Amino acid sequence: MEVIKIEGGRPLKGTVRIDSAKNSTVALIPAAILADSSVILEGVPQIVDVEHLGMMIEQLNGKYEIDNDELTIDPTHLINTPLVEGAVNKLRASYYFMGALLGKFKEAVIGMPGGCYLGPRPIDLHLKGFEALGATITQEAGSIHLKAEKLTGAKIYLDFASVGATINIMLAAVKAEGMTVIENAAKEPEIIDLANLLNGMGANIKGAGTGEIRIQGVTELHGTRHAIIPDRIEAGTYITLAAVAGDEVKIDNIIPHHLEALIAKLREMGVDIEVHTDHVIVRGRKEMKAVDFKTSTYPGLATDLQQPLVTLLTQATGVGMVTDTIYSDRFKNCFELNKMGANIKVQGNSAIVQGPSKLSGARVKATDLRAGASLVIAGLIADGVTEIGNTYHIDRGYSNIEDKLNNIGAKVWREDVTE
Ligand code: EPU
């Protein structure tokens, strides 16, 4: 079994360059199959989720070529193959092939998506959206079959501003006949990035980034070139770790505006953050006071940063109450942090963190992607060596994590150990 080992206690200093957004990339790759010619994506992050989507493009007989961080997807000879096993079960975003294949071929057969377990993650809103556009849906032997004679634009109200449902409906609606209006749409920056790619391919989408997205269907989409936005969650993770382990760390190649809720919360705790146009400078390792926070949809505090922030709270003075309103069971990292000396109680969808606690190196497990990030941060500040198992979760979302950390003075390495 591969583990990540971290020798804690080294003050960090230097620059971390943030890669492009995982949660954009995983939508943009399926979106590319809607074109009739090659789509080039610039700045693709080297993460395992991207590799799995590449395998799915190849299963569909598309060409998938990656040269450094530039990805070319050529969907010219695409075949509508059922995607029922293999890569499809390895990540959540595989379900974007539902919308993309439905949009392109009016039919899709897709196995159940994988991804982190964070409590129940239903896809009812995606399916209701497809039905509103004219698809019939059947479920057989663990896969979902979507079929439409034709797709017709519709008015779709989302009961919850779901990122996944908004993206999937956009992917199906771009080639529907007439106008689709998504009301209570998700406003995350990744939705705008997807709309920009699709518009570059010839789609007609207005209002992305607001609660009402209007999509006038078109009959054809063509290839284009698109630069992916920076990863606000990777950025937020490094900002958080710099707050607790950094003397002075520059987090570069970011859009600070996407991180306003995080920056405000960290300043409230007493963290010194200097905001520039495309980077921030964090001067950390200072006294921090505990705060309460709740996660919410964008522009609120992202649920994906909740677990890294819990590690930060273990170092702040006082009691902080953390409530995750998006996912009910995103607290498994707390039990691992307690093994390292933290004092966290989990109650329903809240965690109560009493700090400050002295953390010590221990053997812990990354139970999901952002739990992994939370434990990496803990390892950086703990006494002694921390060993983090289930590294595959971390590799799904953080590219070159040990290089990025070692470059700023950490001591992080991988080892194969017997279980
Ligand atoms: N929901 C429903 N029904 C649906 C869809 C969603 O009830 O049909 C509920 C979910 O159960 C959840 C909430 O709505 O409680 C939020 O779900 P949403 O659809 O917004 O999230 P997602 O599309 O499944 C994406 C990211 C997540 C991120 C969330 C929230 C991708 C591939 N995943 O998930 O990223 O936490 O939006 O911002 O884009 C991560 O990167 O670690 C991660 C989990």
Side-chain angles (χ1 to χ4, degrees), residues 5 19 38 78 111 120 142 145 191 234 238 241 257 259 277 284 290 314-315 330 353 379:
K5 287 196 173 181
D19 279 301
S38 291
L78 216 72
H145 192 156
I191 307 279
E234 189 196 18
Y238 282 97
L241 77 82
H257 174 62
L259 288 150
T277 321
T314 67
Q315 302 307 298
R330 207 172 198 180
V353 188

Side-chain angles (χ1 to χ4, degrees), residues 218-297:
V218 296
T219 50
E220 270 177 32
L221 293 168
H222 51 75
T224 188
R225 178 179 273 276
H226 177 85
I228 309 165
I229 58 168
D231 195 319
R232 64 195 167 95
I233 306 301
E234 189 196 18
T237 303
Y238 282 97
I239 291 173
T240 304
L241 77 82
V244 79
D247 273 347
E248 184 169 311
V249 181
K250 176 178 175 185
I251 319 292
D252 202 8
N253 188 40
I254 65 171
I255 301 175
H257 174 62
H258 291 168
L259 288 150
E260 272 174 3
L262 173 73
I263 292 170
K265 203 34 88 176
L266 293 180
R267 282 182 169 156
E268 195 184 326
M269 291 178 76
V271 180
D272 176 0
I273 306 183
E274 214 178 276
V275 178
H276 298 261
T277 321
D278 62 353
H279 66 271
V280 297
I281 294 171
V282 182
R283 293 183 193 89
R285 306 209 319 135
K286 304 217 165 67
E287 289 223 338
M288 291 179 294
K289 68 170 196 308
V291 291
D292 296 338
F293 68 87
K294 268 191 187 153
T295 65
S296 56
T297 54

Side-chain angles (χ1 to χ4, degrees), residues 22-24 26 49 92-93 95-96 116 118-127 160-165 167 186 188 190 232-233 296-297 302-304 325-328 330 369-370 396:
K22 159 184 159 300
N23 288 345
S24 265
V26 298
D49 274 10
R92 188 84 194 148
Y95 60 23
Y96 292 142
C116 297
L118 311 171
R121 295 179 79 177
I123 57 166
D124 54 311
L125 301 172
H126 305 230
L127 301 182
F160 178 84
S162 152
V163 173
I167 290 177
E188 272 68 2
E190 293 75 21
R232 64 195 167 95
I233 306 301
S296 56
T297 54
T303 166
D304 299 338
T325 67
I326 311 289
Y327 296 115
S328 57
R330 207 172 198 180
L369 168 58
R370 309 300 170 187
R396 287 193 34 232

Side-chain angles (χ1 to χ4, degrees), residues 18-348:
I18 298 305
D19 279 301
S20 301
K22 159 184 159 300
N23 288 345
S24 265
T25 310
V26 298
L28 301 179
I29 293 173
I33 68 164
L34 283 158
D36 294 330
S37 51
S38 291
V39 171
I40 299 169
L41 298 177
E42 293 173 14
V44 172
Q46 289 172 23
I47 50 174
V48 174
D49 274 10
V50 165
E51 287 170 25
H52 285 133
L53 290 169
M55 290 173 197
M56 294 173 75
I57 296 277
E58 284 173 348
Q59 277 177 278
L60 293 166
N61 201 42
K63 270 203 195 137
Y64 180 91
E65 279 171 10
I66 192 139
D67 180 12
N68 286 319
D69 65 354
E70 192 167 291
L71 170 63
T72 305
I73 296 165
D74 182 357
T76 315
H77 302 293
L78 216 72
I79 298 170
N80 194 6
T81 320
L83 297 170
V84 288
E85 54 191 33
V88 68
N89 313 124
K90 298 267 172 24
L91 75 163
R92 188 84 194 148
S94 53
Y95 60 23
Y96 292 142
F97 280 105
M98 288 184 194
L101 288 169
L102 188 64
K104 189 172 182 94
F105 295 113
K106 311 289 170 270
E107 184 166 10
V109 181
I110 309 273
M112 281 301 176
C116 297
Y117 178 79
L118 311 171
R121 295 179 79 177
I123 57 166
D124 54 311
L125 301 172
H126 305 230
L127 301 182
K128 276 187 202 158
F130 296 143
E131 275 173 342
L133 295 172
T136 51
I137 300 167
T138 48
Q139 291 197 33
E140 290 156 30
S143 55
I144 296 178
H145 192 156
L146 308 152
K147 193 170 167 52
E149 285 308 313
K150 71 171 190 169
L151 294 173
T152 311
K155 199 167 186 174
I156 299 166
Y157 179 85
L158 297 179
D159 293 339
F160 178 84
S162 152
V163 173
T166 303
I167 290 177
N168 241 337
I169 295 167
M170 286 166 76
L171 292 170
V174 273
K175 292 190 80 182
E177 241 177 73
M179 171 81 90
T180 298
V181 181
I182 309 175
E183 288 179 346
N184 197 28
K187 298 177 188 148
E188 272 68 2
E190 293 75 21
I191 307 279
I192 304 177
D193 207 23
L194 174 69
N196 286 341
L197 170 74
L198 290 169
N199 284 341
M201 287 160 60
N204 183 350
I205 303 173
K206 295 200 172 82
T210 75
E212 184 176 300
I213 301 179
R214 276 161 293 124
I215 305 160
Q216 178 66 50
V218 296
T219 50
E220 270 177 32
L221 293 168
H222 51 75
T224 188
R225 178 179 273 276
H226 177 85
I228 309 165
I229 58 168
D231 195 319
R232 64 195 167 95
I233 306 301
E234 189 196 18
T237 303
Y238 282 97
I239 291 173
T240 304
L241 77 82
V244 79
D247 273 347
E248 184 169 311
V249 181
K250 176 178 175 185
I251 319 292
D252 202 8
N253 188 40
I254 65 171
I255 301 175
H257 174 62
H258 291 168
L259 288 150
E260 272 174 3
L262 173 73
I263 292 170
K265 203 34 88 176
L266 293 180
R267 282 182 169 156
E268 195 184 326
M269 291 178 76
V271 180
D272 176 0
I273 306 183
E274 214 178 276
V275 178
H276 298 261
T277 321
D278 62 353
H279 66 271
V280 297
I281 294 171
V282 182
R283 293 183 193 89
R285 306 209 319 135
K286 304 217 165 67
E287 289 223 338
M288 291 179 294
K289 68 170 196 308
V291 291
D292 296 338
F293 68 87
K294 268 191 187 153
T295 65
S296 56
T297 54
Y298 189 83
L301 196 60
T303 166
D304 299 338
L305 292 171
Q306 177 265 107
Q307 290 160 300
L309 279 171
V310 163
T311 307
L312 195 66
L313 274 184
T314 67
Q315 302 307 298
T317 304
V319 178
M321 166 106 166
V322 176
T323 305
D324 199 319
T325 67
I326 311 289
Y327 296 115
S328 57
D329 199 7
R330 207 172 198 180
F331 291 104
K332 295 212 171 62
N333 58 317
C334 296
F335 304 105
E336 303 299 300
L337 289 170
N338 283 346
K339 289 183 196 163
M340 297 176 71
N343 181 354
I344 309 172
K345 287 192 182 70
V346 176
Q347 280 175 7

